[in-house]
mmCIF file with all atom_site columns, all heavy atoms in Angstrom:
data_model
loop_
_atom_site.group_PDB
_atom_site.id
_atom_site.type_symbol
_atom_site.label_atom_id
_atom_site.label_alt_id
_atom_site.label_comp_id
_atom_site.label_asym_id
_atom_site.label_entity_id
_atom_site.label_seq_id
_atom_site.pdbx_PDB_ins_code
_atom_site.Cartn_x
_atom_site.Cartn_y
_atom_site.Cartn_z
_atom_site.occupancy
_atom_site.B_iso_or_equiv
_atom_site.pdbx_formal_charge
_atom_site.auth_seq_id
_atom_site.auth_comp_id
_atom_site.auth_asym_id
_atom_site.auth_atom_id
_atom_site.pdbx_PDB_model_num
ATOM 1   N N   . ASN B 1 146 ? 4.340  3.955  13.707 1.00 0.00 ? 436 ASN B N   1
ATOM 2   C CA  . ASN B 1 146 ? 5.649  3.461  13.783 1.00 0.00 ? 436 ASN B CA  1
ATOM 3   C C   . ASN B 1 146 ? 6.599  4.635  13.946 1.00 0.00 ? 436 ASN B C   1
ATOM 4   O O   . ASN B 1 146 ? 6.199  5.773  14.432 1.00 0.00 ? 436 ASN B O   1
ATOM 5   C CB  . ASN B 1 146 ? 5.949  2.663  12.518 1.00 0.00 ? 436 ASN B CB  1
ATOM 6   C CG  . ASN B 1 146 ? 5.344  1.297  12.492 1.00 0.00 ? 436 ASN B CG  1
ATOM 7   O OD1 . ASN B 1 146 ? 5.667  0.431  13.221 1.00 0.00 ? 436 ASN B OD1 1
ATOM 8   N ND2 . ASN B 1 146 ? 4.311  1.120  11.699 1.00 0.00 ? 436 ASN B ND2 1
ATOM 9   N N   . GLN B 1 147 ? 7.900  4.432  13.543 1.00 0.00 ? 437 GLN B N   1
ATOM 10  C CA  . GLN B 1 147 ? 8.851  5.557  13.572 1.00 0.00 ? 437 GLN B CA  1
ATOM 11  C C   . GLN B 1 147 ? 9.469  5.787  12.260 1.00 0.00 ? 437 GLN B C   1
ATOM 12  O O   . GLN B 1 147 ? 10.695 6.070  12.073 1.00 0.00 ? 437 GLN B O   1
ATOM 13  C CB  . GLN B 1 147 ? 9.957  5.322  14.600 1.00 0.00 ? 437 GLN B CB  1
ATOM 14  C CG  . GLN B 1 147 ? 9.324  5.257  16.069 1.00 0.00 ? 437 GLN B CG  1
ATOM 15  C CD  . GLN B 1 147 ? 10.482 5.156  17.133 1.00 0.00 ? 437 GLN B CD  1
ATOM 16  O OE1 . GLN B 1 147 ? 11.521 5.831  17.125 1.00 0.00 ? 437 GLN B OE1 1
ATOM 17  N NE2 . GLN B 1 147 ? 10.223 4.365  18.185 1.00 0.00 ? 437 GLN B NE2 1
ATOM 18  N N   . LEU B 1 148 ? 8.680  5.594  11.200 1.00 0.00 ? 438 LEU B N   1
ATOM 19  C CA  . LEU B 1 148 ? 9.235  5.814  9.836  1.00 0.00 ? 438 LEU B CA  1
ATOM 20  C C   . LEU B 1 148 ? 9.546  7.248  9.683  1.00 0.00 ? 438 LEU B C   1
ATOM 21  O O   . LEU B 1 148 ? 8.883  8.134  10.086 1.00 0.00 ? 438 LEU B O   1
ATOM 22  C CB  . LEU B 1 148 ? 8.163  5.326  8.852  1.00 0.00 ? 438 LEU B CB  1
ATOM 23  C CG  . LEU B 1 148 ? 7.777  3.845  8.869  1.00 0.00 ? 438 LEU B CG  1
ATOM 24  C CD1 . LEU B 1 148 ? 6.491  3.562  8.088  1.00 0.00 ? 438 LEU B CD1 1
ATOM 25  C CD2 . LEU B 1 148 ? 8.900  3.049  8.273  1.00 0.00 ? 438 LEU B CD2 1
ATOM 26  N N   . SER B 1 149 ? 10.667 7.459  8.936  1.00 0.00 ? 439 SER B N   1
ATOM 27  C CA  . SER B 1 149 ? 11.140 8.822  8.775  1.00 0.00 ? 439 SER B CA  1
ATOM 28  C C   . SER B 1 149 ? 11.524 9.097  7.314  1.00 0.00 ? 439 SER B C   1
ATOM 29  O O   . SER B 1 149 ? 11.396 8.263  6.409  1.00 0.00 ? 439 SER B O   1
ATOM 30  C CB  . SER B 1 149 ? 12.399 9.030  9.714  1.00 0.00 ? 439 SER B CB  1
ATOM 31  O OG  . SER B 1 149 ? 13.409 8.094  9.398  1.00 0.00 ? 439 SER B OG  1
ATOM 32  N N   . GLY B 1 150 ? 12.064 10.275 7.050  1.00 0.00 ? 440 GLY B N   1
ATOM 33  C CA  . GLY B 1 150 ? 12.463 10.628 5.737  1.00 0.00 ? 440 GLY B CA  1
ATOM 34  C C   . GLY B 1 150 ? 11.317 11.103 4.887  1.00 0.00 ? 440 GLY B C   1
ATOM 35  O O   . GLY B 1 150 ? 10.182 11.027 5.329  1.00 0.00 ? 440 GLY B O   1
ATOM 36  N N   . VAL B 1 167 ? -0.075 6.763  6.766  1.00 0.00 ? 457 VAL B N   1
ATOM 37  C CA  . VAL B 1 167 ? 1.205  6.807  7.325  1.00 0.00 ? 457 VAL B CA  1
ATOM 38  C C   . VAL B 1 167 ? 1.223  7.724  8.593  1.00 0.00 ? 457 VAL B C   1
ATOM 39  O O   . VAL B 1 167 ? 2.268  8.284  8.955  1.00 0.00 ? 457 VAL B O   1
ATOM 40  C CB  . VAL B 1 167 ? 2.354  7.201  6.320  1.00 0.00 ? 457 VAL B CB  1
ATOM 41  C CG1 . VAL B 1 167 ? 2.431  6.189  5.226  1.00 0.00 ? 457 VAL B CG1 1
ATOM 42  C CG2 . VAL B 1 167 ? 2.040  8.671  5.836  1.00 0.00 ? 457 VAL B CG2 1
ATOM 43  N N   . LEU B 1 169 ? 1.046  9.224  12.405 1.00 0.00 ? 459 LEU B N   1
ATOM 44  C CA  . LEU B 1 169 ? 1.794  8.923  13.658 1.00 0.00 ? 459 LEU B CA  1
ATOM 45  C C   . LEU B 1 169 ? 3.141  8.218  13.347 1.00 0.00 ? 459 LEU B C   1
ATOM 46  O O   . LEU B 1 169 ? 3.490  7.174  13.772 1.00 0.00 ? 459 LEU B O   1
ATOM 47  C CB  . LEU B 1 169 ? 0.929  8.007  14.557 1.00 0.00 ? 459 LEU B CB  1
ATOM 48  C CG  . LEU B 1 169 ? -0.241 8.747  15.147 1.00 0.00 ? 459 LEU B CG  1
ATOM 49  C CD1 . LEU B 1 169 ? -1.306 7.762  15.694 1.00 0.00 ? 459 LEU B CD1 1
ATOM 50  C CD2 . LEU B 1 169 ? 0.234  9.569  16.262 1.00 0.00 ? 459 LEU B CD2 1
ATOM 51  N N   . ASN B 1 170 ? 3.895  8.931  12.510 1.00 0.00 ? 460 ASN B N   1
ATOM 52  C CA  . ASN B 1 170 ? 5.300  8.546  12.206 1.00 0.00 ? 460 ASN B CA  1
ATOM 53  C C   . ASN B 1 170 ? 6.216  9.714  12.356 1.00 0.00 ? 460 ASN B C   1
ATOM 54  O O   . ASN B 1 170 ? 5.846  10.670 13.038 1.00 0.00 ? 460 ASN B O   1
ATOM 55  C CB  . ASN B 1 170 ? 5.425  7.885  10.831 1.00 0.00 ? 460 ASN B CB  1
ATOM 56  C CG  . ASN B 1 170 ? 5.021  6.390  10.833 1.00 0.00 ? 460 ASN B CG  1
ATOM 57  O OD1 . ASN B 1 170 ? 5.770  5.541  11.345 1.00 0.00 ? 460 ASN B OD1 1
ATOM 58  N ND2 . ASN B 1 170 ? 3.861  6.081  10.345 1.00 0.00 ? 460 ASN B ND2 1
ATOM 59  N N   . GLN B 1 171 ? 7.321  9.785  11.698 1.00 0.00 ? 461 GLN B N   1
ATOM 60  C CA  . GLN B 1 171 ? 8.254  10.905 11.796 1.00 0.00 ? 461 GLN B CA  1
ATOM 61  C C   . GLN B 1 171 ? 8.593  11.337 10.306 1.00 0.00 ? 461 GLN B C   1
ATOM 62  O O   . GLN B 1 171 ? 9.720  11.747 10.028 1.00 0.00 ? 461 GLN B O   1
ATOM 63  C CB  . GLN B 1 171 ? 9.468  10.536 12.528 1.00 0.00 ? 461 GLN B CB  1
ATOM 64  C CG  . GLN B 1 171 ? 9.160  10.179 13.975 1.00 0.00 ? 461 GLN B CG  1
ATOM 65  C CD  . GLN B 1 171 ? 10.375 9.633  14.704 1.00 0.00 ? 461 GLN B CD  1
ATOM 66  O OE1 . GLN B 1 171 ? 11.537 9.717  14.292 1.00 0.00 ? 461 GLN B OE1 1
ATOM 67  N NE2 . GLN B 1 171 ? 10.158 8.993  15.853 1.00 0.00 ? 461 GLN B NE2 1
ATOM 68  N N   . ILE B 1 172 ? 7.628  11.277 9.456  1.00 0.00 ? 462 ILE B N   1
ATOM 69  C CA  . ILE B 1 172 ? 7.886  11.640 8.027  1.00 0.00 ? 462 ILE B CA  1
ATOM 70  C C   . ILE B 1 172 ? 8.163  13.129 7.900  1.00 0.00 ? 462 ILE B C   1
ATOM 71  O O   . ILE B 1 172 ? 7.556  13.961 8.540  1.00 0.00 ? 462 ILE B O   1
ATOM 72  C CB  . ILE B 1 172 ? 6.620  11.291 7.116  1.00 0.00 ? 462 ILE B CB  1
ATOM 73  C CG1 . ILE B 1 172 ? 6.276  9.784  7.300  1.00 0.00 ? 462 ILE B CG1 1
ATOM 74  C CG2 . ILE B 1 172 ? 6.878  11.632 5.713  1.00 0.00 ? 462 ILE B CG2 1
ATOM 75  C CD1 . ILE B 1 172 ? 7.293  8.871  6.822  1.00 0.00 ? 462 ILE B CD1 1
ATOM 76  N N   . THR B 1 173 ? 9.240  13.476 7.101  1.00 0.00 ? 463 THR B N   1
ATOM 77  C CA  . THR B 1 173 ? 9.620  14.759 6.823  1.00 0.00 ? 463 THR B CA  1
ATOM 78  C C   . THR B 1 173 ? 9.480  15.096 5.327  1.00 0.00 ? 463 THR B C   1
ATOM 79  O O   . THR B 1 173 ? 9.063  14.260 4.565  1.00 0.00 ? 463 THR B O   1
ATOM 80  C CB  . THR B 1 173 ? 11.052 15.039 7.319  1.00 0.00 ? 463 THR B CB  1
ATOM 81  O OG1 . THR B 1 173 ? 11.951 14.128 6.603  1.00 0.00 ? 463 THR B OG1 1
ATOM 82  C CG2 . THR B 1 173 ? 11.194 14.813 8.766  1.00 0.00 ? 463 THR B CG2 1
ATOM 83  N N   . ASN B 1 193 ? 0.062  13.898 12.010 1.00 0.00 ? 483 ASN B N   1
ATOM 84  C CA  . ASN B 1 193 ? 0.921  13.641 13.124 1.00 0.00 ? 483 ASN B CA  1
ATOM 85  C C   . ASN B 1 193 ? 2.276  13.124 12.554 1.00 0.00 ? 483 ASN B C   1
ATOM 86  O O   . ASN B 1 193 ? 2.703  12.065 12.855 1.00 0.00 ? 483 ASN B O   1
ATOM 87  C CB  . ASN B 1 193 ? 0.339  12.572 14.087 1.00 0.00 ? 483 ASN B CB  1
ATOM 88  C CG  . ASN B 1 193 ? -0.819 13.209 14.854 1.00 0.00 ? 483 ASN B CG  1
ATOM 89  O OD1 . ASN B 1 193 ? -0.662 13.968 15.762 1.00 0.00 ? 483 ASN B OD1 1
ATOM 90  N ND2 . ASN B 1 193 ? -2.021 12.783 14.420 1.00 0.00 ? 483 ASN B ND2 1
ATOM 91  N N   . ASN B 1 194 ? 2.830  13.955 11.691 1.00 0.00 ? 484 ASN B N   1
ATOM 92  C CA  . ASN B 1 194 ? 4.194  13.700 11.217 1.00 0.00 ? 484 ASN B CA  1
ATOM 93  C C   . ASN B 1 194 ? 4.955  15.058 11.261 1.00 0.00 ? 484 ASN B C   1
ATOM 94  O O   . ASN B 1 194 ? 4.557  15.934 12.051 1.00 0.00 ? 484 ASN B O   1
ATOM 95  C CB  . ASN B 1 194 ? 4.182  13.153 9.828  1.00 0.00 ? 484 ASN B CB  1
ATOM 96  C CG  . ASN B 1 194 ? 3.929  11.678 9.759  1.00 0.00 ? 484 ASN B CG  1
ATOM 97  O OD1 . ASN B 1 194 ? 4.767  10.891 10.116 1.00 0.00 ? 484 ASN B OD1 1
ATOM 98  N ND2 . ASN B 1 194 ? 2.704  11.274 9.332  1.00 0.00 ? 484 ASN B ND2 1
ATOM 99  N N   . SER B 1 195 ? 5.938  15.218 10.461 1.00 0.00 ? 485 SER B N   1
ATOM 100 C CA  . SER B 1 195 ? 6.716  16.468 10.366 1.00 0.00 ? 485 SER B CA  1
ATOM 101 C C   . SER B 1 195 ? 6.807  16.906 8.937  1.00 0.00 ? 485 SER B C   1
ATOM 102 O O   . SER B 1 195 ? 7.785  17.482 8.473  1.00 0.00 ? 485 SER B O   1
ATOM 103 C CB  . SER B 1 195 ? 8.099  16.359 10.979 1.00 0.00 ? 485 SER B CB  1
ATOM 104 O OG  . SER B 1 195 ? 8.025  16.085 12.369 1.00 0.00 ? 485 SER B OG  1
ATOM 105 N N   . ILE B 1 196 ? 5.676  16.685 8.175  1.00 0.00 ? 486 ILE B N   1
ATOM 106 C CA  . ILE B 1 196 ? 5.683  17.082 6.763  1.00 0.00 ? 486 ILE B CA  1
ATOM 107 C C   . ILE B 1 196 ? 5.665  18.572 6.636  1.00 0.00 ? 486 ILE B C   1
ATOM 108 O O   . ILE B 1 196 ? 4.957  19.259 7.332  1.00 0.00 ? 486 ILE B O   1
ATOM 109 C CB  . ILE B 1 196 ? 4.468  16.466 6.102  1.00 0.00 ? 486 ILE B CB  1
ATOM 110 C CG1 . ILE B 1 196 ? 4.533  14.934 6.159  1.00 0.00 ? 486 ILE B CG1 1
ATOM 111 C CG2 . ILE B 1 196 ? 4.327  16.846 4.615  1.00 0.00 ? 486 ILE B CG2 1
ATOM 112 C CD1 . ILE B 1 196 ? 3.275  14.274 5.790  1.00 0.00 ? 486 ILE B CD1 1
#
Side-chain angles (χ1 to χ4, degrees):
N436 284 289
Q437 295 187 42
L438 295 165
S439 59
V457 297
L459 290 162
N460 277 286
Q461 299 173 15
I462 303 297
T463 58
N483 294 285
N484 280 288
S485 296
I486 299 171

